[in-house]
Amino acid sequence: MTNDNTLTSQDLTDINSDDFSQAYQQFVKAGDLISLTRQFEQGFAQTGRDNQLNFNAKEAKVSLLDTGILLVEPTGSVKSSKRIVISSGIHGNETAPIEIVQQLISDIVAQDIQVKHPTLFIMGHPVAMNIAKRFETENLNRLFCGKHQTIEPCYEKYRAEKLEQYVSDFFNAGTNDVTNYHYDLHTAIRSSKYEKFAIYPYQGDKPWDKEQLSFMAGCGVNTILFGHGPTGTFSYFSSANFAAHAFTVELGKVRAFGENDMSNFQAAADKISALVCDEDLLLKDFDNNDFNLFEALGDITKVSDNFKLFVDDAASNFTDYPIGTVLSTDTGEEYRTTKHGESVVFPNANVGNGQRAALIVVPTTLS
Ligand SMILES: [Zn+2]
């Protein structure tokens, strides 16, 4: 079978029919979406809304739309005010978020919890999950907002297009008075001065939503980096196209399946569960003093082969440097800090000329 975006439904039927129905029945019984997704990383023949792969949970219909993509819709008569996307594993080795999503799905299938708002659960990158890597060929979280169209065929190109389509269909099915949400859950590769942090996608002229920041704090995430421009991330896709309250949430450091201390993620799991089950979120009012808020000051861009970055690739995110520190040099220029609290996020000297080697941020507050 090919590993590009030319999979046909014939390929998929060949891989699986009987094996798939057995595995699917097992999923309906036990609710183990990780197992089903890893068994069928390339997908299966029946996909989409009308594939008949659905069953009932507690006053809800559960539909498996594609590998790693599960839709849960309340069947009661109360009109729902929210549509929610909870995505995980966009980077395949970021296992804790996948396990958070798995726990929710287990609880739903076991009928221990009742979903009150239509929710789309996503395990984003089954192929990378199976090889325990961030990605196979391309970083999936840079390919949204149509950026997948600009790259050569690879699994991520195919998957980004599919994910965009499922999320678009999901939000488009809502009415105008419904509020959209998308929390894209990650864990970071490097350590961070603040273990948990979230990136709030660029909002253009719209103000940052303080209630959403309170929700993040409730999830145990009180360090927020405000996005400073359009990007190709999954959360930006939902924010920009569907006015969703959306975040890329970094919940700690990458570990292997089964090695996560899930108590470290309990606050996030509980708040997300309360959100989809329409329970009281018990949020504290926004107060600047409860947060570390950062805004972008700019990028350090590698211009030439003479580029030198004086921040170690292994340096913790949000490491701050005194005013006057030289952070990089390049042909005929240098970057020297000029502001109090200037900090470096995502340093990476091994980028091509013209690409970002580090993001520089400074502390900020909301008025
Ligand atoms: Zn990630």
Side-chain angles (χ1 to χ4, degrees):
M1 191 178 62
T2 55
N3 206 10
D4 55 22
N5 62 346
T6 57
L7 285 174
T8 64
S9 55
Q10 189 57 45
D11 288 330
L12 296 166
T13 315
D14 292 346
I15 330 168
N16 42 70
S17 53
D18 282 358
D19 286 356
F20 177 72
S21 4
Q22 223 169 20
Y24 175 70
Q25 288 313 321
Q26 185 59 30
F27 167 68
V28 172
K29 241 187 283 171
D32 189 344
L33 188 66
I34 293 180
S35 166
L36 183 67
T37 303
R38 295 184 71 173
Q39 271 177 276
F40 296 93
E41 60 170 34
Q42 298 287 347
F44 32 82
Q46 315 96 299
T47 57
R49 282 238 50 169
D50 305 316
N51 64 4
Q52 313 287 321
L53 299 176
N54 54 66
F55 56 99
N56 292 323
K58 198 174 195 174
E59 290 184 44
K61 179 180 166 191
V62 180
S63 307
L64 180 68
L65 303 184
D66 205 327
T67 188
I69 302 180
L70 194 77
L71 173 64
V72 184
E73 299 164 292
T75 49
S77 56
V78 180
K79 194 177 168 337
S80 154
S81 57
K82 299 179 168 121
R83 295 182 81 80
I84 304 162
V85 175
I86 305 295
S87 55
S88 65
I90 291 298
H91 295 129
N93 61 347
E94 297 176 2
T95 54
I98 301 171
E99 289 175 336
I100 290 173
V101 165
Q102 175 55 53
Q103 187 56 54
L104 281 162
I105 292 169
S106 299
D107 291 347
I108 292 164
V109 173
Q111 313 216 2
D112 288 339
I113 59 174
Q114 183 182 342
V115 172
K116 298 272 184 68
H117 301 294
T119 304
L120 189 66
F121 292 101
I122 294 174
M123 294 180 181
H125 198 323
V127 168
M129 269 165 81
N130 275 340
I131 55 175
K133 290 212 165 116
R134 201 167 148 74
F135 52 84
E136 189 179 52
T137 311
E138 293 275 348
N139 182 349
L140 179 55
N141 208 26
R142 297 207 180 130
L143 298 183
F144 294 94
C145 298
K147 293 197 169 24
H148 54 83
Q149 288 161 2
T150 65
I151 64 165
E152 294 297 310
C154 61
Y155 179 79
E156 286 87 5
K157 179 186 176 86
Y158 160 84
R159 188 68 172 169
E161 189 184 349
K162 284 275 171 196
L163 291 173
E164 283 192 352
Q165 200 183 318
Y166 284 116
V167 168
S168 299
D169 290 348
F170 175 71
F171 283 136
N172 282 332
T175 48
N176 280 342
D177 52 345
V178 166
T179 308
N180 294 332
Y181 298 80
H182 182 176
Y183 301 110
D184 184 34
L185 310 180
H186 290 250
T187 47
I189 330 171
R190 70 182 69 248
S191 57
S192 175
K193 186 173 164 189
Y194 309 105
E195 194 205 10
K196 296 179 168 64
F197 65 96
I199 302 166
Y200 196 151
Y202 174 65
Q203 295 294 299
D205 294 338
K206 269 172 33 184
W208 308 107
D209 188 293
K210 289 180 179 167
E211 203 179 314
Q212 281 298 300
L213 295 179
S214 295
F215 181 75
M216 281 296 113
C219 289
V221 181
N222 69 346
T223 298
I224 308 288
L225 173 54
F226 295 119
H228 63 306
T231 64
T233 65
F234 204 12
S235 66
Y236 180 76
F237 171 76
S238 294
S239 170
N241 293 293
F242 302 100
H245 291 303
F247 287 86
T248 304
V249 189
E250 301 280 358
L251 289 168
K253 238 190 138 182
V254 166
R255 299 199 198 289
F257 275 119
E259 288 177 18
N260 295 301
D261 173 7
M262 293 310 280
S263 66
N264 192 21
F265 309 107
Q266 204 56 52
D270 288 350
K271 284 292 181 242
I272 291 168
S273 175
L275 179 72
V276 302
C277 296
D278 201 35
E279 287 158 10
D280 195 340
L281 294 173
L282 304 168
L283 300 180
K284 191 168 175 271
D285 283 345
F286 175 83
D287 179 346
N288 278 302
N289 294 320
D290 296 334
F291 289 86
N292 306 301
L293 305 175
F294 290 94
E295 64 184 355
L297 194 60
D299 293 336
I300 290 183
T301 303
K302 177 180 172 183
V303 176
S304 77
D305 292 341
N306 295 323
F307 179 74
K308 281 200 182 62
L309 185 66
F310 300 111
V311 179
D312 197 283
D313 277 359
S316 296
N317 274 329
F318 299 104
T319 299
D320 58 312
Y321 297 87
I323 290 174
T325 308
V326 176
L327 295 182
S328 71
T329 55
D330 209 332
T331 308
E333 55 185 87
E334 63 175 26
Y335 184 90
R336 191 183 288 266
T337 54
T338 57
K339 297 229 162 40
H340 176 70
E342 244 180 86
S343 309
V344 173
V345 194
F346 312 129
N348 180 7
N350 296 314
V351 293
N353 292 346
Q355 291 188 325
R356 181 178 88 185
L359 173 64
I360 308 295
V361 301
V362 284
T364 186
T365 53
L366 291 188
S367 50

